[in-house]
Amino acid sequence: REGDGGATGPDHVLERVAEHEAKDTSRDDAMGLQLLSAKQQIDRLQGRIQELEEHGSRMEEDLRVRGARLTEVERQLKAREDAAGRGAQESSAALQNAKGSIDA
């Protein structure tokens, strides 16, 4: 044949088959490496997703605890304000009584 320098026969056919198999193997190896790399990326991303979910859960718990603390502080502040208001009313009433006693 003209294109291959005139090589013919079974040896030439075996060489061509071997070349094609080498190309196929090389292509398969490259695809295998790409697949392995993709799987490793997926594993890393799944790990990161799990880390973020755990972090989110911790943040939710922290916010719940902080909300409960805030509610308790608000309750205590309201109780103090109520007590201060009652104290002021009692002081005002006592002052009015004392003034009434003095006037009488």
Side-chain angles (χ1 to χ4, degrees):
R1 293 183 338 192
E2 289 296 317
D4 57 11
T8 58
D11 289 340
H12 177 68
V13 171
L14 290 176
E15 277 181 36
R16 300 290 289 163
V17 168
E19 288 174 11
H20 283 288
E21 286 178 353
K23 287 180 185 177
D24 289 346
T25 299
S26 177
R27 185 172 40 248
D28 289 349
D29 289 348
M31 289 174 62
L33 288 175
Q34 287 178 338
L35 182 59
L36 179 62
S37 176
K39 286 180 180 179
Q40 289 171 340
Q41 267 187 312
I42 289 169
D43 289 344
R44 281 194 302 272
L45 289 172
Q46 286 175 333
R48 184 66 179 136
I49 288 169
Q50 185 174 351
E51 289 174 11
L52 291 171
E53 287 173 344
E54 290 169 0
H55 180 70
S57 294
R58 286 190 303 271
M59 288 182 70
E60 284 178 17
E61 178 62 17
D62 184 50
L63 289 173
R64 189 193 64 73
V65 168
R66 288 180 185 205
R69 285 186 197 149
L70 181 58
T71 300
E72 178 58 21
V73 168
E74 288 173 338
R75 187 194 64 73
Q76 290 175 2
L77 182 58
K78 177 77 170 118
R80 288 179 186 166
E81 288 173 346
D82 291 348
R86 283 190 305 273
Q89 287 175 348
E90 290 169 2
S91 295
S92 178
L95 201 59
Q96 290 298 325
N97 288 339
K99 186 177 179 191
S101 298
I102 292 172
D103 291 342

